[in-house]
Amino acid sequence: MASHDFDVLIVGSGLAGLAAALQLAPTHRVAVITKRELKDGSSSRAQGGIAAVLADDDSFAAHIQDTLVAGAGLCDMATTRFVVENAPAAIGWLRELGVPFSLEGGGLHLTREGGHSARRIVHATDATGAAVQKTLTEVVRATPGITVFEHHTLIDLITTRKLGLAGQPRCVGLYALDEATDSVVTFRAPQTILATGGAGKVYLYTTNPDTATGDGIAAAWRAGCRVGNMEFVQFHPTGLYHPHEKSFLISEAVRGEGGRLLLPESAGGTRFMPEHDARAELAPRDVVARAIDYEMKKHGLDCVHLDISHQSPEFLHEHFPNILAHCAGLGIDITREPIPVVPTAHFTCGGVLTDLSGRTDLAGLLAVGEVAYTGLHGANRLASNSLLECLVFARAACGYITQTQAAKSPALPTWDDSRVGDADESVVISHNWDELRRFMWDYVGIVRTNKRLERAAHRIALLKDEIQEFYAHFHVTRDLLELRNLVQVADLIVQSAQMRHESRGLHYSRDWPEMAAPAAPTILVPPLR
């Protein structure tokens, strides 16, 4: 069995992971471990951009207030201020690396998105994440001190507690499945950063890539870390609805530039958002997603329409070239007709609890990006604050690691699979995967009830037992590992939803329709502490 020693292990290769690797590389031996390739992950799919106060008519106070309003009273003020005030420097760092942001009049072009009171979204047309990820990937591959391990799937974290060692529990490494050799590799390091992203694949319909299976959240929970606010899963209001399309997102910026939500002609063809909120299409995502869900159920619709055709073709080609081209490839001409859209699972607002340095409950383990719960997003994430959070907390985590004297890691045992065999019924894994995602969509989606949550909890308990039996007796595969993590994350989401006896932000319950006071996060404590 192979083993590796590094100063820092980074699990995940999105913006959070690559930003951390680049900032640590001058002084540390860094391993970037990713289960697909560097370019895969949610960061590259981000269309809208990165929020930052850069205009003269904008202010930190306004950005903070917009974040607090979207977060429905659950944002942590210290975290929000920390992120907002560090945003301009984060944009500056990306520009130094050569990210090709859209320009206007010699400066950055700023657009506006739902929930924002000003134009403050820095973007690269309508493919910001792809532009940022491409730039950072190229720099990472050319940077000495960074070793990339692609097609390596995290199995579990290695802690001193699991090794039976005395003293304060700490993370000392991890096990990962190398798909090329179908063997388990041991990685040892005094510091590990989880940058594994969210868990959108726990739902049947999601904008997330196949990699978003909650690996870091589940692994940290098993290692003894608390998680917070897992009930708040953001459903993006406008996923493209098309029989040949799996997970394409229609950017928030389309509504920011005047896009209107309409009922299909069969239901009257009228605009409906002003009836739901005074901010209409520019309301925060949770409000818009619930409004669309309401109208679809009221009229028995499969989707609604998003119309931007009143803008000129030249404007659409300039601002939304990728959306225009993608829709055209499916036979939808957005310069002449509306886009069919439907809400789809998009962002995990909760995650592993961290402080302002990205530190978790477990010494030697940090978490950055969507995998983490920092308190920034509260009950609903404000548009374009996600990539920003990745950048600001990657820098903060690296600052902590650089200033910390690394503890010496003990010798680590190799993975023992001598008593397991090959699965004789692998089809069970795919069936369980499908069942989990379907009942999470039906019972733990945009609108919830106590009865639906009880049904989901019952099914999760059965699945957990079955999956654990597979994990204990058969050789691990990526599908099995991802399913194991997804069912754990589903359990955390349902537990958190059952604990919140109110409706707030992304959590709407028919049994608890009012917002309660005072506002408080939902914190789950693992049995292993």
Side-chain angles (χ1 to χ4, degrees):
M1 298 286 184
S3 62
H4 302 282
D5 281 296
F6 288 92
D7 298 322
V8 183
L9 307 176
I10 299 175
V11 190
S13 60
L15 178 55
L18 297 190
L22 287 172
Q23 292 174 62
L24 288 169
T27 55
H28 294 73
R29 295 174 301 122
V30 179
V32 174
I33 302 162
T34 185
K35 65 181 177 182
R36 298 289 175 91
E37 298 179 5
L38 285 187
K39 61 181 177 62
D40 297 316
S42 295
S43 293
S44 62
R45 297 185 175 211
Q47 295 178 352
I50 306 171
V53 174
L54 298 170
D56 292 338
D57 60 351
D58 198 4
S59 67
F60 289 152
H63 189 180
I64 290 171
Q65 182 62 22
D66 291 344
T67 301
L68 297 178
V69 170
L74 273 187
C75 300
D76 180 83
M77 176 58 83
T79 301
T80 304
R81 183 175 301 280
F82 175 72
V83 173
V84 167
E85 291 182 352
N86 281 282
I91 298 298
W93 182 73
L94 290 179
R95 296 190 76 184
E96 290 174 4
L97 289 178
V99 175
F101 290 120
S102 297
L103 305 175
E104 182 179 57
L108 290 169
H109 178 267
L110 303 176
T111 189
R112 184 181 175 188
E113 295 180 340
H116 288 273
S117 59
R119 286 182 171 268
R120 64 169 71 98
I121 312 303
V122 180
H123 64 104
T125 61
D126 60 345
T128 306
V132 173
Q133 191 74 2
K134 181 177 184 294
T135 302
L136 266 63
T137 296
E138 291 172 351
V139 178
V140 162
R141 291 198 185 279
T143 299
I146 301 176
T147 305
V148 176
F149 294 87
E150 294 177 309
H151 301 287
H152 281 64
T153 301
L154 172 65
I155 298 176
D156 256 330
L157 299 169
I158 304 173
T159 67
T160 53
R161 181 194 290 110
K162 291 181 180 179
L163 297 177
L165 301 178
Q168 179 191 17
R170 64 178 295 110
C171 180
V172 292
L174 59 88
Y175 294 117
L177 174 65
D178 179 357
E179 288 192 52
T181 62
D182 193 32
S183 63
V184 177
V185 181
T186 304
F187 288 87
R188 184 175 73 159
Q191 301 284 357
T192 297
I193 299 176
L194 293 175
T196 51
K201 293 298 287 186
V202 77
Y203 287 98
L204 184 60
Y205 301 110
T206 177
T207 61
N208 289 184
D210 291 341
T211 56
T213 51
D215 303 341
I217 297 171
W221 173 262
R222 291 192 293 265
C225 296
R226 293 172 297 166
V227 300
N229 279 11
M230 289 298 296
E231 69 270 37
F232 297 115
V233 178
Q234 186 175 80
F235 286 76
H236 197 288
T238 53
L240 177 62
Y241 179 79
H242 191 278
H244 298 149
E245 181 48 56
K246 183 178 180 182
S247 58
F248 189 75
L249 177 68
I250 305 300
S251 171
E252 192 101 13
V254 172
R255 285 180 286 124
E257 295 294 349
R260 298 174 299 173
L261 284 164
L262 311 173
L263 295 174
E265 290 297 330
S266 62
T270 56
R271 186 183 181 197
F272 59 84
M273 273 310 302
E275 300 175 11
H276 292 269
D277 193 282
R279 294 163 291 186
E281 283 81 6
L282 291 179
R285 289 176 177 175
D286 61 321
V287 175
V288 180
R290 275 199 305 275
I292 295 174
D293 182 72
Y294 173 86
E295 295 293 342
M296 287 172 57
K297 290 176 178 174
K298 176 182 177 182
H299 297 282
L301 303 172
D302 293 326
C303 67
V304 298
H305 287 166
L306 177 60
D307 188 18
I308 191 72
S309 63
H310 57 279
Q311 294 282 16
S312 70
E314 293 76 18
F315 179 92
L316 297 177
H317 276 283
E318 179 183 357
H319 290 271
F320 306 113
N322 294 286
I323 293 175
L324 188 149
H326 192 89
C327 288
L330 296 170
I332 304 168
D333 182 0
I334 72 171
T335 69
R336 296 170 177 260
E337 58 186 320
I339 308 166
V341 295
V342 65
T344 178
H346 183 58
F347 189 86
T348 308
C349 288
V352 184
L353 253 69
T354 73
D355 64 9
L356 291 182
S357 295
R359 295 183 297 173
T360 71
D361 292 331
L362 185 62
L365 181 68
L366 301 92
V368 178
E370 193 174 351
V371 66
Y373 164 65
T374 65
L376 173 64
H377 306 306
N380 176 42
R381 175 176 68 82
L382 181 65
S384 289
N385 269 356
S386 53
L387 295 184
L388 174 60
E389 182 184 39
C390 291
L391 290 166
V392 171
F393 276 93
R395 179 178 293 271
C398 293
Y400 167 77
I401 290 174
T402 300
Q403 297 166 15
T404 302
Q405 181 67 37
K408 186 176 180 180
S409 296
L412 304 183
T414 57
W415 182 261
D416 180 12
D417 61 359
S418 60
R419 289 171 291 179
V420 301
D422 293 324
D424 54 355
E425 296 184 36
S426 297
V427 69
V428 174
I429 296 176
S430 62
H431 286 179
N432 285 351
W433 178 293
D434 184 64
E435 180 186 354
L436 173 68
R437 298 179 67 209
R438 285 185 181 278
F439 74 65
M440 285 296 290
W441 180 264
D442 291 337
Y443 299 151
V444 200
I446 296 173
V447 177
R448 301 162 180 176
T449 67
N450 291 345
K451 180 59 70 176
R452 291 177 186 175
L453 294 176
E454 288 172 7
R455 288 172 177 161
H458 176 69
R459 295 194 182 191
I460 287 170
L462 296 175
L463 283 180
K464 284 183 73 175
D465 288 343
E466 190 168 308
I467 293 164
Q468 184 56 39
E469 181 181 357
F470 257 77
Y471 181 77
H473 293 94
F474 297 111
H475 180 70
V476 294
T477 64
R478 189 181 69 197
D479 287 345
L480 174 58
L481 294 172
E482 290 180 334
L483 179 59
R484 178 183 182 231
N485 292 331
L486 277 177
V487 77
Q488 179 62 74
V489 170
D491 186 34
L492 296 174
I493 292 172
V494 172
Q495 283 189 56
S496 299
Q498 289 179 314
M499 290 173 63
R500 185 162 293 282
H501 294 172
E502 64 166 350
S503 288
R504 182 186 296 272
L506 301 166
H507 174 75
Y508 183 80
S509 170
R510 287 181 179 170
D511 296 299
W512 308 92
E514 302 300 323
M515 189 180 295
T522 304
I523 307 299
L524 296 181
V525 181
L528 178 65
R529 293 285 292 164

